[in-house]
Amino acid sequence: FDDAVFAEKTADGGFHLIVAIADVSYYVRPGSALDQDAYERGNSTYLPDRVLPMLPEALSNELCSLKPHEDRACLAFHLYIDAAGNLTGQKIVRGLMRSAARLTYKQVQEAKDGAPDAMTAPLMDTVIHPLYEAYAALRGARERRGALDMGAPEYKVSVDTQGTATGVKRYESRDSNKVIEEFMVLANVAAATALEEKNAPCVYRVHGRPPNPIAIAKLR
């Protein structure tokens, strides 16, 4: 429930995308007791069968959770792309949003593949099809710029009621996963661009040059 996405076609053949992210900073003010406690925890911890949240559940599971049909504070990225998937404009605002539905990746992919259920059927024309059309444009732009595509499989650990690991299953990645991934990458690009334009501090993860081939050979 951290984020929500929307897409609609524009008159010029491009798309208007919205990426809405739960506005945690609205509730967690710098220097407050919440801020200090979150700083000590550092991050939320994800285990196979549970999550230990960085913030109290009244925030993490309620006020900062973009639940369907409830008004929630968010940071909304209005992103505009052309038909080729290039970012042509952006606007970042604080606002209130109301999610239309909470859908699983599997649920969305099955709907796109022709098997919608009672929840996804009413959303096909207004939500799901436009999302995939926008994704196709973004994916094309990604391939043209030669972006790195790891394609590494993900695995999920199964645990029993005692918390003991009982097995490991490969997690199937679908196009619905990649839809969200592309939207989030674009939102990150927009955020970095906005910060750079204002000469504001910004933290980047920089990937260094590939290591020495001899070092790679030794690792192998």
Side-chain angles (χ1 to χ4, degrees):
F1 297 102
D2 294 338
D3 40 62
V5 293
F6 175 78
E8 62 182 354
K9 223 162 188 179
T10 52
D12 60 0
F15 292 89
H16 167 218
L17 317 178
I18 301 176
V19 176
I21 301 169
D23 193 358
V24 179
S25 64
Y26 178 82
Y27 298 97
V28 184
R29 299 300 187 185
S32 66
L34 276 174
D35 184 38
Q36 293 173 20
D37 192 55
Y39 181 84
E40 289 179 9
R41 292 192 178 205
N43 53 264
S44 297
T45 302
Y46 292 83
L47 301 171
D49 60 339
R50 74 197 70 185
V51 178
L52 306 177
M54 181 172 61
L55 298 171
E57 290 195 10
L59 287 179
S60 60
N61 289 352
E62 290 297 332
L63 286 174
C64 296
S65 185
L66 304 181
K67 292 187 173 183
H69 314 300
E70 295 186 26
D71 290 343
R72 288 290 186 263
C74 71
L75 195 66
F77 290 70
H78 291 267
L79 309 169
Y80 298 87
I81 63 173
D82 59 22
N86 301 305
L87 183 64
T88 59
Q90 65 187 57
K91 181 180 180 182
I92 305 173
V93 299
R94 273 195 158 97
L96 282 176
M97 67 152 289
R98 179 172 287 219
S99 172
R102 194 264 183 171
L103 307 174
T104 66
Y105 290 114
K106 182 173 183 285
Q107 203 174 5
V108 172
Q109 192 60 52
E110 288 177 349
K112 177 66 171 60
D113 293 341
D117 58 21
M119 189 179 295
T120 54
L123 302 173
M124 293 303 297
D125 293 335
T126 56
V127 177
I128 294 175
H129 285 316
L131 284 176
Y132 275 87
E133 290 175 14
Y135 161 67
L138 292 172
R139 186 72 187 179
R142 177 189 182 94
E143 291 172 356
R144 285 191 297 276
R145 70 175 181 267
L148 183 65
D149 192 349
M150 300 296 287
E154 294 184 35
Y155 295 90
K156 182 175 177 62
V157 178
S158 301
V159 296
D160 61 20
T161 55
Q162 305 302 313
T164 303
T166 58
V168 180
K169 293 182 180 179
R170 182 167 174 168
Y171 177 77
E172 181 185 355
S173 181
R174 307 170 175 87
D175 278 349
S176 54
N177 295 78
K178 296 173 184 175
V179 169
I180 301 301
E181 179 183 320
E182 288 298 328
F183 274 56
M184 293 304 152
V185 167
L186 193 66
N188 274 278
V189 170
T193 302
L195 289 168
E196 284 186 349
E197 288 175 350
K198 293 181 179 295
N199 293 317
C202 184
V203 177
Y204 293 90
R205 180 175 64 183
V206 179
H207 296 275
R209 297 178 64 83
N212 187 303
I214 295 175
I216 295 177
K218 287 182 179 179
L219 176 62
R220 288 177 178 151

